[in-house]
Amino acid sequence: MKLRKVPAAAAVALALSLALTACGSDGGGSGTDDGKKITVGIKFDQPGIGLKTPDGTYEGFDVDVARYVAGQLGYKPSDIVWKEAKSADRETLLQRGDVDFIVASYSINDERRKKVDFAGPYLLAHQDVLVRADDDSITKPSDLNHKKLCSVTGSTSAQNIRTKLAPQAQLQEYGGYSECLTGLENKTVDALTTDDSILAGYAAQKSFEGKFKLAGFRLSNENYGIGVRKGDTELKNKINAALEKMVADGSWKKAVEANLGPAGYRNEPPPKIGVVVG
């Protein structure tokens, strides 16, 4: 009798072991093909940079950068969960752990560095102003005095102009650049300011073709970085390595040309990792 009980117990144990293993394989563990996801913050309303299209897909230079970086970290495009990262929300998203990293035309500055860390920079842009194509009243920064100047809540662009160049500009802050663009088209605002890369993307849209123009002011240097949680040096270093590879293998140039080239955007050479141009 004892000889019969031993194999029976072993059989039960083996069955339980197999059942638990099967449950584990269906439960989304840490394997590379086992439900691994990464959450990335991008802009949803910036053509050429970060845009959620009506059919629910995502496109733009930042999106291509994010996909490349995620790929170097071991994630397939289908593993990426995209989350909207509005300008005013970026630090909070990182601090709460709502996203793993942010690629959202995120300019590196000292104030933001107090709250988050940055990989990169991966693009050097310049602040400019977008005006209506038929408006010849704004030809230099000081012409923005007494004009209604639009930017988004949380952006430093409009404050830069009011502080340094046109202290009497009437600042209008909206939730997104699309709202500013509608105001510019409807003449409820006179100018929209942000980075030239973003403005070029808007101006190049077919629905706005011929309606707007860049003023051509290079008002600041904007070093785009990839935001990570404060103190996450390991992830920061991995992202920097991915960015260096993206430049070296030609993917960076291809992404710039595909997303910003049609607008006639003249990009700067890829910046050196860790070097912020003042």
Side-chain angles (χ1 to χ4, degrees):
M1 298 295 293
K2 290 183 179 179
L3 291 175
R4 292 177 182 176
K5 289 182 179 179
V6 172
V12 172
L14 178 60
L16 287 172
S17 176
L18 290 172
L20 288 171
T21 302
C23 290
S25 64
D26 292 335
S30 59
T32 55
D33 296 315
D34 196 16
K36 184 176 67 170
K37 298 291 183 180
I38 188 167
T39 304
V40 181
I42 59 169
K43 291 294 179 64
F44 279 12
D45 65 344
Q46 291 182 354
I49 299 294
L51 182 68
K52 183 178 182 179
T53 65
D55 63 1
T57 59
Y58 302 89
E59 62 183 36
F61 178 65
D62 281 354
V63 175
D64 286 348
V65 170
R67 284 196 180 110
Y68 188 96
V69 169
Q72 293 300 305
L73 295 176
Y75 296 89
K76 302 185 299 293
S78 59
D79 295 329
I80 302 173
V81 177
W82 302 105
K83 189 173 184 66
E84 185 173 20
K86 293 183 178 181
S87 294
D89 300 333
R90 291 175 296 201
E91 286 83 28
T92 301
L93 289 171
L94 287 168
Q95 290 170 337
R96 287 194 314 216
D98 294 339
V99 295
D100 293 292
F101 62 85
I102 289 179
V103 193
S105 54
Y106 203 0
S107 297
I108 301 170
N109 63 38
D110 291 339
E111 189 62 30
R112 289 169 178 165
R113 276 173 160 167
K114 295 176 183 177
K115 302 175 182 177
V116 302
D117 285 340
F118 287 98
Y122 65 92
L123 182 73
L124 177 60
H126 304 282
Q127 185 183 346
D128 204 346
V129 171
L130 192 70
V131 298
R132 288 182 291 274
D134 60 356
D135 186 355
D136 296 322
S137 67
I138 301 174
T139 59
K140 57 185 183 296
S142 60
D143 290 335
L144 292 168
N145 281 310
H146 307 294
K147 298 285 188 178
K148 293 179 180 178
L149 177 64
C150 190
S151 192
V152 300
T153 304
S155 173
T156 59
S157 300
Q159 294 293 347
N160 287 342
I161 290 178
R162 286 194 64 185
T163 301
K164 303 173 184 177
L165 302 168
Q168 294 177 313
Q170 300 172 22
L171 179 59
Q172 308 284 319
E173 290 188 314
Y174 291 170
Y177 291 110
S178 296
E179 298 170 55
C180 282
L181 202 68
T182 299
L184 184 60
E185 184 179 20
N186 296 336
K187 299 185 178 182
T188 56
V189 298
D190 301 303
L192 162 59
T193 185
T194 188
D195 305 341
D196 53 6
S197 56
I198 298 171
L199 295 174
Y202 279 119
Q205 291 181 97
K206 290 184 179 180
S207 59
F208 295 126
E209 190 173 353
K211 294 183 178 181
F212 307 116
K213 63 183 179 183
L214 285 165
F217 308 150
R218 287 196 166 192
L219 302 176
S220 67
N221 293 321
E222 303 298 332
N223 298 267
Y224 286 4
I226 295 181
V228 300
R229 203 175 310 168
K230 191 73 175 174
D232 195 345
T233 305
E234 181 181 0
L235 179 58
K236 174 183 172 180
N237 290 340
K238 288 181 178 179
I239 292 175
N240 279 336
L243 292 174
E244 289 176 341
K245 185 175 180 180
M246 188 177 187
V247 171
D249 68 14
S251 298
W252 183 90
K253 181 179 180 181
K254 183 179 179 181
V256 171
E257 291 175 348
N259 293 289
L260 303 176
Y265 177 71
R266 296 183 179 181
N267 64 280
E268 298 276 10
K272 186 177 180 180
I273 299 299
V275 177
V276 175
V277 179

